[in-house]
Amino acid sequence: MPTPTSPADTKKAPQFAAIKLRPLPEKPQSCCADGACESKVQPVLSAEGERYSWLVSGMDCAACARKVENAVRQVEGIGQVQVTFATEKLIVVADGDVRERVEQAVQQAGYQLRSENSTPEPAPSRLRENLPLIVLMVMMALSWALEQFNHPFGQTAFVATTLVGLWPIARQALRLIKSGSWFAIETLMSVAAIGALFIGATAEAAMVLLLFLIGERLEGWAASRARRGVSALMALKPDTAIRLRNGERQTVAASELQPGDTIEVPAGGRLPADGKLVSAFASFDESALTGESVPVERTCGESVPAGATSVDRLVTLEVVSKPGENAIDRILKLIEEAEERRAPIERFIDRFSRIYTPAIMAVALLVAVIPPLLFAAPWLPWIYKGLALLLIGCPCALVISTPAAITSGLAVAARRGALIKGGAALEQLGRIRQVAFDKTGTLTIGKPQVVAVTPLAGIDEAELLALSAAVEQGSTHPLAQAVVKEAQRRQLPIPTAQAQRTLAGKGIEAQIDGQYIRISAPDKLSQGMPASALLAHIHQQESLGQTVIVVERDGEAIGTLALQDTLRDDAKEAVAALHALGVQGVILTGDNPRAAAAIAGELGLDFRAGLLPEDKVQAVQALNQRSPLAMVGDGINDAPAMKASTIGIAMGSGTDVALETADAALTHNRLIGIGQMIRLARATHNNIRQNIAMALGLKAIFLLTTLLGMTGLWLAVLADTGATVLVTANALRLLRSKD
């Protein structure tokens, strides 16, 4: 039984955003196999109705998804329909139980449905898969040979070849007409082939069908290439897992794992679910998910996403994700939502093609009948030209020009650790001329670090830091944790503190070896302000954006510690890359002006500090009026500003609210990915423009040569198939992009 989709909102691991299945918008309709459906789907009641999902087989191109949608939309009681070409999933929201009618509608349209949890049928052998094409090629060669020796026999052979090739195409055309797709390529091809037979162009009728089938195979190959990235992602998750229960090791299906289960992953093995490391230490290869080429070191208690590989040791983890909700599943859901959010140019091409195709059929009819009726021109030549025009006007290359490029662009972005929520977001990214950064957790690591230890007379750095760490041991305050971590990093022996207590609003103190050690801010000292020399030093550090704390021993200051949130390693490189693209940057932060100025000075950026969330929104709106702006953030307070910007970009380690609000997310937390996304978006737009130019340019050339009598039917279909292949191949170039 397939698992139905659920609208439930669940808690997510920090690395990735869970994408909820939201109401699906109506989408325009716009190719391909026979089969039956045996899947049974259990409904889940949602706010919009009962929701069902299947996997669709037989889709060779992006237009196939629209045809399946169109067929399902004809079923009474259907509220919303979405077919995701990349993941081959059909999702339906309906008022009642429509399973049988949906399955019947899809079957009649020439496609197959199967359960989401079903084991896919083994792929047919290449011989069997290409048998219809091979048969037609052999018949075509025999017909041509007979034509050379005996014209009547040759003509009869060409007719037989045409009928053999026409049968599956015409059958599919009738199916699509019944399901609401009147102007599919199969319909145009059937009309052209039958018309060619009636006017005696038998050889060309057979050639048209042969070239069409070759084009279909090429499109299927291109589609499999486009989906390969998604298939590879799905393959990252192992089918089984080793679960530890009551001291025994059990091999169970990965789908049976529940939060709280303890699992083992051997060296070189992949995680079947999101987990929290129980082992003391391990290295994980997360490159397939985040694009990070260097193995990531994790310590006990840290989260590790599903699909990561344990590099060098057997590890034990506690499962933290529910079935179907791990990092890989959430990325797949994001891809599904990405196809829902189609780019404006893609929606325009869809609307245009719905008008364009019937208009071309009307023009072809007029070309065939007007000259003979009004100007006494011979019928056969003009009918022939009309049929050729019909094939030239096929919109396949135009329709696929945009989704092919966008799918490739989104796949490349995902491979680099950037998740972009659809073609609309990708299109907006290409327009960006400004980037606004949050500071803490975005440009900086978000965790303070000790950057200076200044002892006074009678004590050295190591002793000062060790005493401070002893007092701060066990505290949950970020500054306290930073002090302890620095002492541990230096491998200092930390003495035992007693009578530790927090002084509300003042600091913290404890007793060590009979001495009272107190840590506080400079203005909270027990004896007032420190000496003038120390005070000048503190002011100098604070002017650099550092937070200074003073350490006292028995009421006397013995030194200071300076802490600061440090820049991400790639922050300067990321800002330089944006400047190289002509994109300006600005920092919008709620932090104090001194800290903001220090970070802005290092990066050479303007800044605005002390901003509340509503202030950030106002700043973003003002900047957005100048030129398209991207807001990059990680916190709940950044979400409103991200929503107000042209496009919001979330750091993958950010809060759930920020991740869900954003239009894109950097799963690897590397800022250099922002420039890469913008560069990729611009390359995708250039690719789309090239595709549209090729699709329309070839049609214009062959339209002119056909009307002048220079080209015929087989060149017409070659032009259409060639344009489709060229457009698809051009889009696939993005997949080879290394920059």
Side-chain angles (χ1 to χ4, degrees), residues 95 127 134 174 255 407 410 447 503:
D95 297 333
L127 177 61
I134 294 172
L174 288 173
S255 59
T407 300
L410 294 176
K447 296 179 180 179
L503 305 174

Side-chain angles (χ1 to χ4, degrees), residues 125-144:
S125 65
R126 291 197 174 185
L127 177 61
R128 183 178 176 183
E129 190 176 22
N130 294 296
L131 189 58
L133 180 59
I134 294 172
V135 169
L136 198 62
M137 292 176 70
V138 170
M139 292 184 68
M140 189 71 185
L142 291 174
S143 301
W144 180 82

Side-chain angles (χ1 to χ4, degrees), residues 356-600:
Y356 169 85
T357 306
I360 282 292
M361 294 187 74
V363 170
L365 179 61
L366 293 176
V367 167
V369 301
I370 293 298
L373 288 177
L374 299 184
F375 304 104
W379 279 96
L380 291 184
W382 283 101
I383 291 176
Y384 184 89
K385 291 179 180 179
L387 294 174
L389 180 59
L390 193 67
L391 297 180
I392 292 170
C394 174
C396 278
L398 185 62
V399 169
I400 204 173
S401 61
T402 303
I406 287 176
T407 300
S408 295
L410 294 176
V412 172
R415 190 173 66 199
R416 296 176 180 173
L419 302 181
I420 303 173
K421 298 181 183 177
L426 191 65
E427 184 168 327
Q428 295 285 23
L429 267 171
R431 299 172 50 232
I432 293 301
R433 293 296 179 270
Q434 300 179 94
V435 175
F437 295 96
D438 172 52
K439 182 182 77 69
T440 306
T442 301
L443 288 173
T444 65
I445 297 173
K447 296 179 180 179
Q449 295 180 345
V450 176
V451 293
V453 180
T454 308
L456 299 179
I459 193 172
D460 59 20
E461 278 192 25
E463 185 181 359
L464 176 63
L465 186 57
L467 290 173
S468 302
V471 175
E472 300 282 21
Q473 191 97 339
S475 174
T476 58
H477 194 283
L479 295 181
Q481 292 178 341
V483 172
V484 175
K485 187 174 181 179
E486 179 65 15
Q488 292 173 339
R489 187 186 69 82
R490 298 190 185 190
Q491 298 182 341
L492 300 178
I494 301 176
T496 302
Q498 298 174 337
Q500 186 184 46
R501 69 190 183 106
T502 300
L503 305 174
K506 295 182 179 180
I508 187 172
E509 71 175 13
Q511 189 175 4
I512 302 175
D513 295 331
Q515 299 176 316
Y516 280 95
I517 307 297
R518 174 172 169 167
I519 300 175
S520 60
D523 59 345
K524 305 294 182 182
L525 296 179
S526 58
Q527 298 177 345
M529 296 300 295
S532 58
L534 180 58
L535 184 61
H537 178 71
I538 291 173
H539 285 167
Q540 180 184 5
Q541 289 181 314
E542 289 182 336
S543 68
L544 297 175
Q546 298 172 356
T547 299
V548 180
I549 56 177
V550 180
V551 184
E552 296 178 84
R553 181 167 56 189
D554 291 334
E556 181 183 356
I558 58 173
T560 64
L561 303 178
L563 299 95
Q564 189 174 33
D565 191 5
T566 57
L567 277 175
R568 292 186 182 274
D569 294 338
D570 65 337
K572 293 182 180 180
E573 183 184 0
V575 172
L578 289 173
H579 287 163
L581 292 170
V583 177
Q584 301 303 312
V586 62
I587 299 174
L588 304 179
T589 179
D591 208 345
N592 67 75
R594 289 198 306 269
I599 297 298

Side-chain angles (χ1 to χ4, degrees), residues 183-409:
F183 302 107
I185 177 60
E186 289 85 355
T187 305
L188 302 184
M189 206 59 57
S190 299
V191 171
I194 294 170
L197 286 180
F198 273 103
I199 64 173
T202 55
E204 290 185 278
M207 180 61 77
V208 161
L209 297 175
L210 176 60
L211 291 173
F212 173 71
L213 289 179
I214 292 174
E216 288 284 286
R217 293 301 306 134
L218 289 172
E219 283 188 24
W221 171 80
S224 65
R225 281 289 307 275
R227 280 197 292 244
R228 191 173 297 171
V230 175
S231 301
L233 183 63
M234 296 172 72
L236 288 178
K237 188 172 58 175
D239 296 328
T240 60
I242 299 175
R243 183 172 63 190
L244 305 181
R245 181 167 289 181
N246 300 324
E248 296 182 359
R249 288 176 172 80
Q250 304 171 346
T251 300
V252 299
S255 59
E256 294 181 16
L257 296 177
Q258 295 292 336
D261 286 347
T262 301
I263 59 173
E264 263 188 2
V265 178
R270 292 191 181 275
L271 272 66
D274 294 346
K276 184 170 64 177
L277 188 62
V278 175
S279 303
F281 171 85
S283 295
F284 293 92
D285 180 0
E286 301 178 6
S287 58
L289 285 158
T290 66
E292 182 62 60
S293 58
V294 179
V296 180
E297 296 180 353
R298 301 290 186 190
T299 57
C300 182
E302 289 191 323
S303 298
V304 187
T309 303
S310 176
V311 174
D312 56 2
R313 67 190 65 194
L314 176 74
V315 293
T316 305
L317 303 104
E318 178 187 337
V319 175
V320 298
S321 62
K322 294 180 180 180
E325 297 178 7
N326 60 52
I328 297 172
D329 295 318
R330 289 194 290 273
I331 294 175
L332 292 172
K333 289 178 183 177
L334 185 63
I335 293 171
E336 292 169 11
E337 186 178 77
E339 288 205 13
E340 176 190 334
R341 299 180 178 184
R342 294 186 296 145
I345 188 172
E346 186 179 0
R347 293 195 296 268
F348 169 76
I349 292 294
D350 267 341
R351 291 194 300 269
F352 176 73
S353 66
R354 286 191 291 166
I355 300 170
Y356 169 85
T357 306
I360 282 292
M361 294 187 74
V363 170
L365 179 61
L366 293 176
V367 167
V369 301
I370 293 298
L373 288 177
L374 299 184
F375 304 104
W379 279 96
L380 291 184
W382 283 101
I383 291 176
Y384 184 89
K385 291 179 180 179
L387 294 174
L389 180 59
L390 193 67
L391 297 180
I392 292 170
C394 174
C396 278
L398 185 62
V399 169
I400 204 173
S401 61
T402 303
I406 287 176
T407 300
S408 295

Side-chain angles (χ1 to χ4, degrees), residues 662-679:
D663 303 290
L666 296 169
T667 62
H668 49 35
N669 286 321
R670 293 171 58 235
L671 289 169
I672 195 68
I674 299 172
Q676 292 175 343
M677 279 197 294
I678 294 174
R679 190 180 296 110

